[in-house]
Amino acid sequence: MTVHQDLRNPEAPIDVAPRAERATADRAAAAEWWRSAVIYQIYPRSFSDSSGDGIGDLPGITARLGELDQLGVDAIWLSPFMTSPQKDAGYDVTDYCDVDPIFGTLADFDALLARAHGLGIRVIVDLVPNHSSDQHEWFQQALTSAAGSAERARYIFRDGTGAQGEEPPNNWQSIFGGPAWTRITEPDGTPGQWYLHLFDSSQPDFDWSKEEVKQEFRRILRFWLDRGVDGFRVDVAHGLVKDQDFPDYTPDADGASMGGEGAPAPYFEQTEVHEIYRDWRLVLEEYTGDRALCGEAWVSSVEKAALWVRPDEMHQTFNFQYLETPWEAEQLRVVIDDSLSAFNSVGAPSTWVLSNHDVVRHATRLALTGENPQGTGIGPDFPGLPDRQTGLARARAATALMLALPGSAYIYQGEELGLDEVHDLPDDARQDPTWFRTAGERYGRDGCRVPLPWAAEAESFGFTSGGAPWLPQPDRWKSLARDVQLSDPDSTLNLYRQMLALRAEHDLGLGELRWLPGNQDAALMFANRDVVVLANTGTQPVPLPAQHEVLLSTAELHGVEVPADCTVWLRRHAG
Ligand code: NOJ
């Protein structure tokens, strides 16, 4: 089955076989599927709305799974859809074993899972173990119980400092800005203890030194495993255990990020946190079907990231070093080499990623000309906004590089359409707690969470049958709507379909990377199995190697040169 586009005849339809006919089908069913899977992140509130309330939901996802099948993904990861007051878009959970009514019901989830499995698509759900919502039954009990009680012990309550306990227990700052401690009023009406929240004050941190907390999360894991999920993406996986001395800590300049450079914060990367995942691994191994854990651990090196995927811990951890690497050949070479060596040393795949719901979309980020620390976001006044053409060209080229690497890869909904960051959202539409906690100083992450455009001519581009989408979509997305792109052979959507089909056909996820002699200056060049990959991160064209057939190119090729910001996949002519 050939899937490459005939470059001499760009009008020819791209021949992409249905999933069942592709090698992917076997691989998706194979053992250790997570080593090579392409996993598509769905941000439920922005994917597709079936109920007409302007917020995406589970039936909306189920109805569109056929389109993801066509795209050629192996699995989906659903950001949280559990019961939540939605103070942090579902990362503030009140009931870990139920579906929030805005997203549907448990029956809707079962239907989604059955449909996905019917298509050979695996399903990973998001688990948020570092903190609950302040509306969680346990936290409400803690508030009405006495200091020192068993109810308080499930969270991190401490007396304040200062003569009257009026100062927080230490100087820790919330990742979203402002202090990481909030003082409560005791049941008798007096000013009381303080509780820790690494994120918003509506997200109190659990105390993971307590057996009751551990047991509760084993129960939650089993609840979803019993329902048939294929795994979990684990939120803030590096943060569950805190240094029990609670020392003061001042992050370095990168403190806005979720990990930061340099020495770990006393609330991240504590050695004991790994025991939790060793325990969870045993829970997953009680089940058949190769269930997997993927850690969201923002740590400062790939060597540190590899600690999360030692043989008795998680299966995957996001390679955020790769995500944070600029579109620059030498830095990419280094991060690719370091990643392969660090993850190989523990027998794990690298899990590549360029975009998610927390970062500036890579069609914008890779061409920004100004500093933009992770988590800060960009607004209308950002001085270094790129031109969209350059951003899109780089995004296409960077994704083609990523998807040719051995290992697993995550793609974030909308990147297959080449969506850019919506930097120009009106202030009164913004919903990220970062925006509120920093009094508008940091824009936060709303710009990458805007609902998807499905149909160019429909209201809300076909996202919702009802009123306004929960965040407004920019008019410029009309030309990026999925239906327009489907019929354009050069569209980003068709490029993704081509890449995923070729990646499966050549089994690149389980291949090995070999650097080739053309790998110099701004050109990255390597082979993975029988595919030769050349990425040009520079400003000048580089020569296309002779005697190669072009399988895929992210930009139009003129003659025998690969233009700037372009990646090609080639195959050497036999003989
Ligand atoms: C990481 C999640 O990806 C992010 O969206 C969330 O705000 C924080 N963890 C807190 O749960």
Side-chain angles (χ1 to χ4, degrees):
M1 177 95 249
T2 54
V3 289
H4 61 273
Q5 188 183 354
D6 182 348
L7 290 165
R8 287 150 309 184
N9 178 11
E11 301 308 312
I14 297 169
D15 181 11
V16 178
R19 154 178 292 275
E21 288 177 33
R22 296 197 303 264
T24 322
D26 304 334
R27 219 186 51 229
E32 303 199 327
W33 59 278
W34 41 269
R35 286 190 178 277
S36 57
V38 174
I39 304 173
Y40 182 96
Q41 180 189 355
I42 294 182
Y43 195 64
R45 56 173 41 240
S46 299
F47 188 72
S48 179
D49 174 25
S50 73
S51 68
D53 64 357
I55 302 177
D57 48 42
L58 298 184
I61 297 170
T62 308
R64 303 263 190 199
L65 284 174
E67 281 153 280
L68 297 184
D69 178 40
Q70 260 190 343
L71 179 60
V73 303
D74 301 308
I76 54 175
W77 148 34
L78 300 170
S79 278
F81 52 82
M82 294 80 184
T83 319
S84 160
Q86 304 292 321
K87 290 278 171 50
D88 184 22
Y91 285 94
D92 49 322
V93 179
T94 50
D95 185 346
Y96 286 85
C97 297
D98 206 350
V99 173
D100 193 280
I102 64 170
F103 295 125
T105 62
L106 273 174
D108 291 330
F109 176 77
D110 291 340
L112 185 161
L113 191 64
R115 171 81 177 130
H117 283 170
L119 291 166
I121 297 177
R122 293 184 183 256
V123 179
I124 292 176
V125 298
D126 216 313
L127 187 66
V128 188
N130 180 66
H131 47 264
S132 69
S133 159
D134 62 350
Q135 301 306 307
H136 190 287
E137 188 185 5
W138 275 9
F139 193 74
Q140 289 300 311
Q141 290 170 357
L143 290 180
T144 52
S145 302
S149 62
E151 287 81 2
R152 289 240 174 131
R154 296 159 173 159
Y155 293 90
I156 302 176
F157 279 87
R158 294 289 181 275
D159 293 333
T161 54
Q164 312 296 327
E166 70 281 11
E167 297 294 332
N170 68 22
N171 72 349
W172 294 0
Q173 295 293 297
S174 151
I175 311 297
F176 292 157
W181 296 92
T182 291
R183 193 171 196 187
I184 65 160
T185 302
E186 296 294 342
D188 66 4
T190 57
Q193 287 195 298
W194 298 71
Y195 67 90
L196 178 71
H197 50 88
L198 291 186
F199 294 89
D200 189 50
S201 56
S202 62
Q203 295 167 296
D205 283 46
F206 285 115
D207 184 342
W208 270 90
S209 68
K210 299 296 183 307
E211 187 51 35
E212 199 183 356
V213 173
K214 295 179 188 167
Q215 266 186 27
E216 175 64 356
F217 274 88
R218 282 185 212 114
R219 181 185 77 84
I220 294 164
L221 286 170
R222 290 196 177 99
F223 175 85
W224 292 105
L225 290 165
D226 287 339
R227 287 201 110 75
V229 304
D230 298 288
F232 302 89
R233 176 267 190 190
V234 181
D235 191 59
V236 206
H238 55 320
L240 277 53
V241 172
K242 280 79 182 174
D243 182 331
Q244 292 301 300
D245 292 336
F246 290 84
D248 274 353
Y249 172 75
T250 305
D252 58 21
D254 190 31
S257 89
M258 301 204 188
E261 300 286 334
Y267 39 82
F268 286 148
E269 298 180 63
Q270 303 298 300
T271 312
E272 298 76 17
V273 80
H274 295 282
E275 286 310 320
I276 298 170
Y277 307 123
R278 294 195 176 102
D279 181 46
W280 288 11
R281 175 97 180 206
L282 296 177
V283 173
L284 263 67
E285 286 175 359
E286 292 166 9
Y287 289 78
T288 56
D290 221 356
R291 321 292 176 104
L293 294 167
C294 177
E296 188 229 12
W298 287 83
V299 295
S300 56
S301 71
V302 284
E303 289 75 21
K304 288 183 178 176
L307 298 175
W308 264 260
V309 285
R310 288 175 287 188
D312 58 349
E313 296 194 39
M314 294 194 171
H315 304 77
Q316 300 184 323
T317 190
F318 291 105
N319 188 339
F320 290 125
Q321 268 62 46
Y322 186 72
L323 181 150
E324 292 190 313
T325 304
W327 179 239
E328 197 275 312
E330 187 49 31
Q331 296 189 58
L332 285 163
R333 259 176 223 125
V334 170
V335 74
I336 292 170
D337 269 341
D338 289 354
S339 302
L340 293 174
S341 116
F343 289 110
N344 279 344
S345 75
V346 291
S350 174
T351 302
W352 312 102
V353 59
L354 285 168
S355 274
N356 65 30
H357 65 294
D358 290 327
V359 304
V360 172
R361 281 188 177 276
H362 70 280
T364 299
R365 191 184 71 238
L366 293 176
L368 289 178
T369 56
E371 282 296 302
N372 183 240
Q374 165 53 25
T376 304
I378 56 175
D381 53 354
F382 185 76
L385 275 180
D387 82 89
R388 271 193 276 283
Q389 286 314 98
T390 308
L392 182 58
R394 286 194 186 167
R396 288 164 60 109
T399 306
L401 172 63
M402 174 179 86
L403 289 175
L405 296 170
S408 172
Y410 277 75
I411 55 183
Y412 174 50
Q413 69 178 38
E415 65 168 84
E416 76 280 19
L417 304 177
L419 298 187
D420 56 328
E421 181 81 359
V422 186
H423 66 284
D424 46 0
L425 283 170
D427 286 357
D428 61 3
R430 293 193 179 272
Q431 307 210 9
D432 186 342
T434 310
W435 167 256
F436 298 105
R437 290 186 62 86
T438 62
E441 196 181 304
R442 283 163 38 193
Y443 286 98
R445 304 157 295 173
D446 291 319
C448 65
R449 299 175 173 182
V450 173
L452 294 187
W454 293 91
E457 298 304 330
E459 283 287 306
S460 72
F461 301 133
F463 164 71
T464 167
S465 52
W470 72 279
L471 283 176
Q473 300 156 301
D475 293 342
R476 62 176 182 273
W477 279 9
K478 183 171 181 177
S479 62
L480 297 176
R482 185 168 294 249
D483 62 346
V484 176
Q485 295 206 31
L486 265 180
S487 53
D488 172 3
D490 296 328
S491 69
T492 303
L493 178 59
N494 278 324
L495 174 68
Y496 269 70
R497 294 173 73 199
Q498 249 185 311
M499 293 190 289
L500 295 185
L502 277 169
R503 180 184 150 94
E505 188 185 273
H506 294 262
D507 209 8
L508 300 182
L510 293 179
E512 253 178 57
L513 178 141
R514 280 174 295 119
W515 295 111
L516 295 175
N519 181 44
Q520 52 194 344
D521 305 326
L524 288 148
M525 191 166 168
F526 63 85
N528 181 359
R529 300 200 188 269
D530 60 337
V531 175
V532 169
V533 177
L534 194 161
N536 182 4
T537 70
T539 52
Q540 301 303 315
V542 298
L544 193 61
Q547 295 183 321
H548 282 75
E549 169 196 4
V550 178
L551 297 175
L552 163 155
S553 174
T554 64
E556 198 179 343
L557 298 180
H558 299 287
V560 290
E561 290 188 324
V562 179
D565 296 331
C566 173
T567 296
V568 288
W569 291 10
L570 311 164
R571 185 164 42 191
R572 203 177 162 74
H573 285 308

